Amino acid sequence: MSRPGKIFTKMSKKILILGASSDIGLETVKYFLKNNCIVTAHYSSDKKKLLKIKNKNLNLFKFNLTKIKSFEKYINKNSSKISNFDTFVSLTGYMKLKNFFKISSSDLMDHFNANYISNLLVIQKILNKMKKKKWGRILLASSIGTKFGGGSLTMSYSISKYLNEFFPSEYKKFYKHNVIINSLQIGVTDTKLHLKNKSKNMKKRIQLIPINKMASTSEVAEYIYFLCSEKNTLITNQVINISGGE
Amino acid sequence: MSRPGKIFTKMSKKILILGASSDIGLETVKYFLKNNCIVTAHYSSDKKKLLKIKNKNLNLFKFNLTKIKSFEKYINKNSSKISNFDTFVSLTGYMKLKNFFKISSSDLMDHFNANYISNLLVIQKILNKMKKKKWGRILLASSIGTKFGGGSLTMSYSISKYLNEFFPSEYKKFYKHNVIINSLQIGVTDTKLHLKNKSKNMKKRIQLIPINKMASTSEVAEYIYFLCSEKNTLITNQVINISGGE
Amino acid sequence: MSRPGKIFTKMSKKILILGASSDIGLETVKYFLKNNCIVTAHYSSDKKKLLKIKNKNLNLFKFNLTKIKSFEKYINKNSSKISNFDTFVSLTGYMKLKNFFKISSSDLMDHFNANYISNLLVIQKILNKMKKKKWGRILLASSIGTKFGGGSLTMSYSISKYLNEFFPSEYKKFYKHNVIINSLQIGVTDTKLHLKNKSKNMKKRIQLIPINKMASTSEVAEYIYFLCSEKNTLITNQVINISGGE
Amino acid sequence: MSRPGKIFTKMSKKILILGASSDIGLETVKYFLKNNCIVTAHYSSDKKKLLKIKNKNLNLFKFNLTKIKSFEKYINKNSSKISNFDTFVSLTGYMKLKNFFKISSSDLMDHFNANYISNLLVIQKILNKMKKKKWGRILLASSIGTKFGGGSLTMSYSISKYLNEFFPSEYKKFYKHNVIINSLQIGVTDTKLHLKNKSKNMKKRIQLIPINKMASTSEVAEYIYFLCSEKNTLITNQVINISGGE
C-alpha cells in the first residue's frame, strides 16, 4: 500500500483530452503533465493559453468537432494512434445559446456531434486496446445542469451532456480488464466565462449551491485526475456529482 | 367525481401519434379512436394494418423521420395545424441493428433524428397552444432497455430512446396550465417482431422480467391512454416504468 | 378487452387499509367500497368520519401502531384472517413534529413502528396466500417529502416513509404470481390538516409544485385504486410519483 | 495547490469511527492513524485486532449499539466530548441472518438501532460544532446490497443500511460551512467473513461484479479517507458507489 502523503505514483500514461482549451481543460492538462503524463490535447479554436504551457510532453491538435464526418474520417485514418491512449478525458463543451423554442435540428446535431458522438468514436477505437493492456481510464464530463433540465438558453448543451451519462451494456465487458469508465457531473465552476457575468444572476445561481460557492478549476482537475488514476479501482460505471451538494 | 365503472369520459380530443404503424402503435390508435378521439397517425413505410382500421376519425400521414430536415420543413410549414393537437404521443422506434464497434455517426444521427429530434420539433410547436387551451398531454415512449444500456446490437436505439427521458427545465412552466408531460419506459412487449424470434433468446429474456411474461400491446395501449387522459392530473415530469418489475 | 368507459370491472375484493382515518384514507375507503370491495379499515384514534360511511362492506378496527409489539401479537394471532386479504394499502401517517436536533431514539422508533414495521408485519402474513390465489396488490404510501429530505420538523416522518420505498429482493419472487407491489410518493394534498395552515407557508409550498396546486384527496384515491386494480398488470416494483411534477 | 505525489497533507484531525472492529474498520483505523489523525474507535465485542494496533493516537471504546437507550444516555452525558470530533465515520454492520418471513419487529429494531439510529444520535451532537470550526466530514457506510433489496437472509441488514442513504434537508444548511456529508455503497469486500465461505456461492456472487473481483479492505479504506480528507471539497450530499461497477 502507498505510504501516506504519496497516494499517487507518477503515472507516465498517455492521455487524450478533448476540449482542452477551456479553463477546466487547461487545469486538467497541467495536472496530468505535472504527474509525468504525456498529454495530447484537443482544442477547437483558441490555443493561446495551451501554448503558454511549455512542456515537451504536451501535444496539441485542432478540430471543429461539430464537423463530425471529418472527425470520423480522421479517427478512422489514425485509429492505431488513437487506440494507443491509456486514458481518455472528454471535456468538450460546445454551447450555442438559443431559446428552447428556436432550437433547430442543426443546433441539436452540432451539440450531439461535438459533445457526444465525438467521444463515442474515440471510445470505439480505444476500448479493445485498453483491454489488451489491462489498463484504461475513460472519463466523460457531463454537467450538473442535466439534473435540472438545463437553463432556458442551454437546453441543447444540457441534453448533449446528458448523453455522456448513458452507459452502454457493452462497457460492462471491459471493467474486468481494469478499464474504468465514469461520467462526471461538474457543478458551476469559477471560469473566465462565469467571472464575466458575475452579476446578479451568478450570485443567485451560487446561492442555489449548498456549499455556497463555485468550484475552482483546480479542484475539478484533481477529481478528474483521481478518477483516472491507478488509485481509482472501484468506482466505475458511475455518474459522479462534484457539484457542492446539488 | 366519476361514477364507478365510468372512469374515463369520452375525450373527443385531437391526438397526434408518431410511429403508429408498430404493433403498439396500432393498438394505441384503436384505443384512442374507441374513446371518440380524432387521431392523426404517422407511419414511416407500411400502412397496411393502419388502413384496415376503417374509421372516419383516423387520418394517416407518411414520413421518413430520419430525414429530419424535410420533417422540420414540413412542421414549420404546417405549424398552425400541428399546434392544434391536444395530445401528442410518440412511439417512434427506428432501429438499425449494428454492433457497438461498427456504429457510425450517421447511424447515431438517424436514430436521434427519428426517435428524438422529431419529437422535440413537434413539442416546440404545440406547447404554447396547449397552454392557451389549458389542456395538453405529451407522452414519449422510451424503452426499458435504456435502463440496462441496450443490447449488443441496439445501443443506437437505446441511447436515442434515452433522450426521451430528459425533461428540459422549460417544461416546468407549462405544468401549471394543465399540460402534462411524461416518458414511458415500455418493457418487452409481445409484438410480431418478438414473436418471430420466440426462440431460446426470447425465452431467456422473458425470464429476466419479474412478472415472467411479455406485456401485451393492449396492456401498453391502456397505460398510454391513461397517462394522456383527463384522469391523469398528478403524474407529470416522470419516467414511468411499465415493464413488469424490471 | 374492456369496453370504453368501463375500464374497471367491479372487483369484489377484500381490502385491508392501514391508516384509513386520514382525509386520503377516507376517500380511499369510499372509492373501494363504491367498487364493490369489502374494506377492513384501520384507524388509530378518531373513527368519527369513518362511522359516517354507512356501508355493510366496511369493517373498522382500532390500533395504536406505535405499540408494535401488541400489533405483532395481534397479527400473529389473526394470521389466517390477515392472510385472506386480496389487497393491502398502507396510508399510515404517524407524525410528531420535532426539531431535527431534538429527535430521540424513541421518536424514531415510534415512526418506524407505525409507518413501516406495521406494514412489513402485514406483508409477511399475506404474500404467500396471494401467491396461491394468483392475485395480490400491495401499495405503500410514501411522501414526496422523502425526495427532499423532509422539512425541519418532519425528518422522523420522512425517513419512516422513505422505508416504504425499499423493495426487498424477496418481493421479486412474487411478481410472476400476479402479486403487484408498489410505493407511492404522494404530493402535497388538500387535507383538513393543510387547510388549517393555509397561511403564507402553505402558499409558498404550493408555488414549489410545478402544477401549482395541491392534489385533492379524490385524485389521490383514484391513483391508489388504479394501482391496486386488475387494470394494473405492468407497474410493479416501482416508486410512483403523484405529486404534480415535483 | 498541493505538489504532485503529495495530495494529502497530514490531517491531525480527531476521528470517531463506529464499527471499527470489522476488517474494513481495522484498515480504516490504520489509514487515519498513518495520516497523523487521532482516532477514537468503537467496537461492539471483539477488540483483539484493534489492540494489536499499538498507537498512542488510538482510543477504544466498547458499546452494544442495539442497546440504543444506553448509547443515547452515553451520548447525552458525553455530548461535549462527542461534539469535539472533526470527522465521523460509521462502519456499523450489525447483521443477524434471518429469513424474510421470520423477521420480527425486534430484529428490525436491533438493526435500525445499531446501523442507523446510533449514527443519527452522534450527528445531532457534532453538526453545530463542526459548523463553528468550519470543518466537518461525515461518512456513513451503506452497502451495495441496498441497491438490489438485500439477500434472502439479509433484508434487515440491507434496510438498516438503506437508512444511511437518506439525507435530511437539515444537512443542507451545514454544507456551506465546510461540513461534508456522504454515504458510501460499499461493494463486496474481501473480508475474513467472505473468505470463509469462498465457496460456490461466493464465486457466483463475484461473477455478478463487473470488475469480477472483490474489493480489498485497503482499497475501501482509501476511498473512505479520501472522502473525509481536506481534498474532498466538492462531493457532498451524495451516495457514492465503490462497488466495481454494480
Side-chain angles (χ1 to χ4, degrees):
Chain A
M1 219 174 66
S2 64
R3 287 174 299 132
K6 205 188 155 205
I7 295 288
F8 304 122
T9 59
K10 304 276 166 83
M11 293 210 311
S12 305
K13 297 289 183 189
K14 286 187 287 300
I15 321 290
L16 172 63
I17 303 180
L18 290 191
S21 60
S22 70
D23 287 346
I24 291 174
L26 277 163
E27 204 63 36
T28 304
V29 167
K30 288 180 199 164
Y31 213 92
F32 277 99
L33 287 172
K34 216 166 42 183
N35 285 277
N36 270 20
C37 294
I38 299 157
V39 177
T40 300
H42 154 269
Y43 65 98
S44 55
S45 53
D46 185 9
K47 64 173 169 184
K48 253 182 294 174
K49 288 179 203 154
L50 281 166
L51 281 176
K52 280 188 198 155
I53 307 172
K54 313 262 186 228
N55 191 312
K56 65 172 175 27
N57 287 332
L58 175 61
N59 308 297
L60 301 182
F61 78 110
K62 182 178 179 172
F63 235 107
N64 178 349
L65 296 177
T66 64
K67 310 290 183 206
I68 200 68
K69 297 276 186 197
S70 325
F71 188 65
E72 195 167 22
K73 262 184 211 159
Y74 173 82
I75 289 279
N76 285 333
K77 214 191 275 174
N78 297 278
S79 76
S80 68
K81 199 177 144 196
I82 299 286
S83 70
N84 245 357
F85 286 107
D86 303 303
T87 297
F88 168 44
V89 175
S90 170
L91 299 168
T92 58
Y94 178 79
M95 170 155 52
K96 194 157 85 183
L97 299 180
K98 214 161 177 185
N99 178 283
F100 175 81
F101 290 99
K102 307 275 184 183
I103 298 165
S104 68
S105 62
S106 307
D107 295 328
L108 282 169
M109 295 296 199
D110 284 350
H111 286 82
F112 290 159
N113 286 337
N115 295 338
Y116 172 70
I117 299 184
S118 59
N119 299 340
L120 190 77
L121 294 172
V122 170
I123 291 171
Q124 287 175 326
K125 292 299 177 215
I126 57 176
L127 270 183
N128 281 307
K129 189 76 177 288
M130 284 179 166
K131 179 178 159 181
K132 264 180 222 151
K133 287 186 290 190
K134 299 224 164 279
W135 167 275
R137 294 292 183 271
I138 295 174
L139 189 62
L140 306 180
S142 177
S143 160
I144 190 65
T146 67
K147 201 174 158 182
F148 307 112
S152 275
L153 297 168
T154 59
M155 142 72 186
S156 296
Y157 171 76
S158 300
I159 195 162
S160 64
K161 287 303 211 177
Y162 178 64
L163 286 164
N164 289 319
E165 299 175 16
F166 182 85
F167 293 89
S169 64
E170 206 67 21
Y171 290 177
K172 285 218 170 172
K173 302 168 191 164
F174 292 85
Y175 295 141
K176 72 173 99 173
H177 304 287
N178 192 22
V179 179
I180 296 283
I181 309 175
N182 291 293
S183 175
L184 202 59
Q185 284 197 337
I186 300 176
V188 183
T189 305
D190 193 3
T191 60
K192 290 278 140 51
L193 195 79
H194 279 144
L195 276 172
K196 256 190 248 172
N197 34 325
K198 219 176 178 174
S199 55
K200 219 166 44 181
N201 279 335
M202 210 54 221
K203 275 180 198 159
K204 261 193 192 169
R205 181 65 188 86
I206 291 168
Q207 280 166 10
L208 294 176
I209 308 169
I211 60 166
N212 208 31
K213 62 179 176 190
M214 289 190 275
S216 75
T217 52
S218 67
E219 281 175 305
V220 172
E222 286 194 39
Y223 283 99
I224 290 171
Y225 183 76
F226 174 77
L227 288 166
C228 291
S229 76
E230 60 196 31
K231 277 296 150 190
N232 179 26
T233 52
L234 295 180
I235 298 181
T236 192
N237 206 40
Q238 304 298 317
V239 179
I240 313 285
N241 261 277
I242 54 164
S243 53
E246 278 194 308
Chain B
M1 218 175 66
S2 65
R3 287 174 298 132
K6 204 187 156 210
I7 296 287
F8 303 122
T9 58
K10 304 276 165 84
M11 294 210 312
S12 306
K13 296 288 184 191
K14 284 187 288 298
I15 321 292
L16 173 63
I17 303 179
L18 290 191
S21 59
S22 69
D23 286 346
I24 292 175
L26 277 164
E27 204 63 35
T28 304
V29 167
K30 288 181 199 165
Y31 213 93
F32 276 100
L33 288 172
K34 218 166 43 182
N35 284 278
N36 271 19
C37 294
I38 298 157
V39 177
T40 298
H42 154 270
Y43 66 99
S44 55
S45 54
D46 185 8
K47 67 172 169 184
K48 254 183 292 175
K49 287 179 202 156
L50 281 166
L51 280 177
K52 279 189 198 154
I53 306 173
K54 312 265 186 227
N55 190 312
K56 65 173 176 25
N57 286 332
L58 175 61
N59 308 297
L60 302 181
F61 79 109
K62 182 177 178 171
F63 234 106
N64 178 349
L65 296 176
T66 64
K67 309 290 182 204
I68 200 67
K69 297 275 185 197
S70 325
F71 187 65
E72 194 166 23
K73 263 185 209 157
Y74 172 83
I75 288 280
N76 285 333
K77 213 192 278 175
N78 297 278
S79 77
S80 69
K81 199 178 143 195
I82 298 287
S83 70
N84 244 356
F85 286 106
D86 304 302
T87 298
F88 168 44
V89 174
S90 170
L91 300 167
T92 58
Y94 178 80
M95 168 156 52
K96 196 157 81 184
L97 299 181
K98 216 161 177 185
N99 177 282
F100 175 80
F101 290 99
K102 305 277 183 181
I103 298 167
S104 70
S105 63
S106 307
D107 295 327
L108 281 169
M109 294 297 198
D110 285 348
H111 286 82
F112 290 160
N113 286 337
N115 295 339
Y116 173 69
I117 299 184
S118 60
N119 299 340
L120 190 77
L121 295 173
V122 170
I123 291 171
Q124 286 175 325
K125 292 300 177 211
I126 58 177
L127 269 184
N128 281 308
K129 189 76 178 288
M130 283 178 166
K131 178 178 162 182
K132 264 181 223 152
K133 286 187 291 190
K134 298 222 163 281
W135 166 274
R137 294 292 183 273
I138 295 173
L139 189 62
L140 305 180
S142 177
S143 159
I144 189 65
T146 67
K147 202 173 158 183
F148 307 111
S152 275
L153 297 169
T154 59
M155 142 73 184
S156 298
Y157 171 77
S158 300
I159 196 163
S160 63
K161 287 303 210 176
Y162 178 65
L163 286 164
N164 289 319
E165 300 175 16
F166 183 84
F167 292 89
S169 65
E170 205 67 21
Y171 289 177
K172 284 220 171 171
K173 302 169 191 163
F174 291 86
Y175 297 140
K176 71 173 100 170
H177 304 288
N178 192 22
V179 179
I180 296 282
I181 307 175
N182 291 293
S183 176
L184 202 59
Q185 283 196 339
I186 301 176
V188 183
T189 305
D190 193 3
T191 59
K192 289 283 138 52
L193 195 78
H194 279 144
L195 276 172
K196 255 190 251 172
N197 33 325
K198 219 177 180 173
S199 55
K200 220 164 45 179
N201 279 334
M202 209 55 220
K203 274 179 199 161
K204 262 193 192 168
R205 182 65 188 85
I206 290 169
Q207 280 165 11
L208 295 175
I209 309 168
I211 59 165
N212 209 31
K213 61 179 177 188
M214 290 189 274
S216 73
T217 52
S218 67
E219 281 176 304
V220 173
E222 286 193 40
Y223 283 99
I224 291 172
Y225 183 76
F226 175 76
L227 288 166
C228 291
S229 76
E230 60 195 31
K231 279 295 150 190
N232 179 25
T233 52
L234 296 180
I235 299 180
T236 193
N237 207 40
Q238 304 299 317
V239 179
I240 315 284
N241 261 278
I242 54 165
S243 52
E246 278 194 309
Chain C
M1 218 175 66
S2 66
R3 286 172 299 131
K6 204 187 156 206
I7 297 286
F8 303 123
T9 58
K10 305 278 168 81
M11 293 210 313
S12 305
K13 297 289 185 191
K14 286 188 286 300
I15 320 292
L16 172 64
I17 302 179
L18 291 192
S21 60
S22 70
D23 287 347
I24 292 175
L26 276 164
E27 204 63 35
T28 304
V29 167
K30 288 180 199 165
Y31 213 92
F32 276 99
L33 288 172
K34 215 165 46 179
N35 284 277
N36 270 19
C37 294
I38 298 157
V39 177
T40 299
H42 154 268
Y43 64 99
S44 55
S45 53
D46 184 8
K47 65 172 170 181
K48 254 184 293 171
K49 287 179 203 156
L50 281 167
L51 280 177
K52 280 189 197 156
I53 307 172
K54 311 263 185 230
N55 190 312
K56 66 175 173 26
N57 288 330
L58 175 61
N59 309 298
L60 302 180
F61 79 109
K62 181 177 179 173
F63 235 105
N64 177 351
L65 297 176
T66 64
K67 309 289 183 207
I68 200 66
K69 297 275 188 198
S70 326
F71 187 64
E72 195 167 22
K73 263 185 210 157
Y74 174 81
I75 290 279
N76 285 333
K77 213 193 276 175
N78 297 277
S79 76
S80 67
K81 198 177 145 195
I82 298 286
S83 71
N84 244 356
F85 287 106
D86 303 302
T87 298
F88 168 44
V89 175
S90 169
L91 300 166
T92 57
Y94 177 80
M95 170 156 51
K96 195 157 84 182
L97 298 180
K98 213 158 178 187
N99 178 283
F100 175 80
F101 291 98
K102 306 276 183 180
I103 298 167
S104 68
S105 62
S106 308
D107 295 327
L108 281 169
M109 294 296 201
D110 284 348
H111 286 83
F112 290 160
N113 286 337
N115 294 339
Y116 173 69
I117 299 183
S118 60
N119 299 340
L120 190 77
L121 295 173
V122 170
I123 290 171
Q124 287 175 324
K125 293 299 176 211
I126 58 177
L127 269 184
N128 281 308
K129 188 76 176 287
M130 284 179 167
K131 179 178 162 182
K132 265 181 221 152
K133 287 187 288 189
K134 298 223 161 279
W135 167 273
R137 294 293 182 273
I138 296 173
L139 190 62
L140 306 181
S142 177
S143 160
I144 190 64
T146 66
K147 201 174 158 183
F148 308 111
S152 274
L153 297 170
T154 59
M155 142 73 185
S156 297
Y157 171 76
S158 300
I159 196 163
S160 63
K161 286 303 210 178
Y162 179 64
L163 286 164
N164 289 318
E165 299 176 16
F166 183 85
F167 292 90
S169 64
E170 205 66 22
Y171 288 178
K172 286 220 170 171
K173 302 169 190 165
F174 291 86
Y175 295 142
K176 70 172 103 172
H177 303 288
N178 192 23
V179 178
I180 295 282
I181 309 175
N182 291 292
S183 176
L184 202 58
Q185 282 196 339
I186 300 176
V188 183
T189 305
D190 193 4
T191 59
K192 289 281 140 52
L193 194 78
H194 279 144
L195 277 172
K196 255 190 250 171
N197 32 325
K198 218 177 180 173
S199 56
K200 221 166 42 179
N201 280 335
M202 210 54 219
K203 275 179 197 159
K204 262 193 193 167
R205 183 63 188 86
I206 290 169
Q207 280 165 12
L208 294 175
I209 308 169
I211 60 166
N212 209 29
K213 62 178 177 191
M214 289 190 275
S216 74
T217 52
S218 67
E219 280 176 304
V220 173
E222 286 193 39
Y223 283 99
I224 291 171
Y225 184 76
F226 175 76
L227 289 166
C228 292
S229 76
E230 60 196 31
K231 280 294 149 190
N232 180 25
T233 52
L234 297 180
I235 299 180
T236 191
N237 207 40
Q238 304 299 315
V239 179
I240 314 284
N241 261 276
I242 55 166
S243 52
E246 277 195 311
Chain D
M1 219 173 65
S2 65
R3 287 173 298 131
K6 204 188 155 205
I7 296 287
F8 304 122
T9 57
K10 304 277 168 81
M11 293 210 314
S12 306
K13 297 290 184 189
K14 283 187 289 301
I15 320 292
L16 172 64
I17 303 180
L18 291 192
S21 59
S22 69
D23 287 346
I24 292 175
L26 276 163
E27 203 63 35
T28 304
V29 167
K30 288 181 199 164
Y31 213 93
F32 277 99
L33 287 172
K34 216 167 45 182
N35 283 278
N36 271 19
C37 295
I38 298 156
V39 177
T40 299
H42 154 268
Y43 65 99
S44 54
S45 54
D46 184 8
K47 65 172 170 182
K48 253 183 294 172
K49 288 179 202 155
L50 282 166
L51 281 177
K52 281 187 197 156
I53 308 172
K54 311 263 184 227
N55 191 312
K56 65 174 175 24
N57 286 332
L58 175 62
N59 308 297
L60 302 182
F61 80 108
K62 181 179 180 173
F63 234 107
N64 177 351
L65 296 177
T66 64
K67 308 290 183 206
I68 200 66
K69 297 276 186 197
S70 326
F71 188 66
E72 194 167 23
K73 262 185 211 159
Y74 173 82
I75 289 280
N76 285 333
K77 214 192 277 176
N78 296 279
S79 76
S80 69
K81 198 178 146 197
I82 298 287
S83 71
N84 245 357
F85 287 106
D86 303 303
T87 297
F88 168 45
V89 175
S90 170
L91 300 167
T92 57
Y94 177 80
M95 170 156 52
K96 194 157 83 182
L97 299 181
K98 214 161 178 187
N99 178 283
F100 175 80
F101 290 98
K102 307 276 183 180
I103 299 166
S104 69
S105 63
S106 308
D107 295 327
L108 281 169
M109 295 297 200
D110 284 348
H111 287 83
F112 291 159
N113 286 337
N115 294 339
Y116 172 69
I117 299 184
S118 59
N119 298 340
L120 190 77
L121 295 172
V122 170
I123 290 171
Q124 287 175 325
K125 292 298 175 215
I126 59 178
L127 269 183
N128 281 308
K129 189 76 176 289
M130 284 179 166
K131 178 179 161 182
K132 263 180 223 153
K133 287 184 291 189
K134 299 223 163 280
W135 167 275
R137 295 292 184 270
I138 295 172
L139 189 62
L140 306 181
S142 178
S143 160
I144 190 63
T146 66
K147 202 174 159 183
F148 308 112
S152 274
L153 297 169
T154 58
M155 142 73 184
S156 297
Y157 172 75
S158 299
I159 196 162
S160 63
K161 287 303 209 176
Y162 179 65
L163 286 163
N164 289 320
E165 300 176 15
F166 183 85
F167 292 88
S169 64
E170 206 66 21
Y171 289 177
K172 286 220 169 170
K173 302 169 191 164
F174 291 85
Y175 296 142
K176 71 174 102 172
H177 303 289
N178 192 21
V179 179
I180 296 282
I181 309 174
N182 291 293
S183 176
L184 202 59
Q185 283 196 338
I186 301 176
V188 182
T189 306
D190 193 4
T191 58
K192 289 280 140 52
L193 194 77
H194 279 145
L195 277 173
K196 255 191 250 171
N197 33 325
K198 218 177 181 175
S199 55
K200 219 163 47 179
N201 279 334
M202 211 52 219
K203 276 180 196 159
K204 262 193 192 167
R205 182 64 189 86
I206 290 169
Q207 280 166 11
L208 294 175
I209 308 169
I211 59 166
N212 209 29
K213 61 179 177 190
M214 289 190 275
S216 74
T217 51
S218 67
E219 281 175 304
V220 173
E222 285 194 40
Y223 283 100
I224 291 171
Y225 183 75
F226 175 76
L227 289 165
C228 291
S229 77
E230 62 196 30
K231 280 294 151 189
N232 179 25
T233 52
L234 296 181
I235 298 181
T236 192
N237 207 40
Q238 305 298 317
V239 179
I240 313 284
N241 260 277
I242 54 165
S243 53
E246 279 195 309

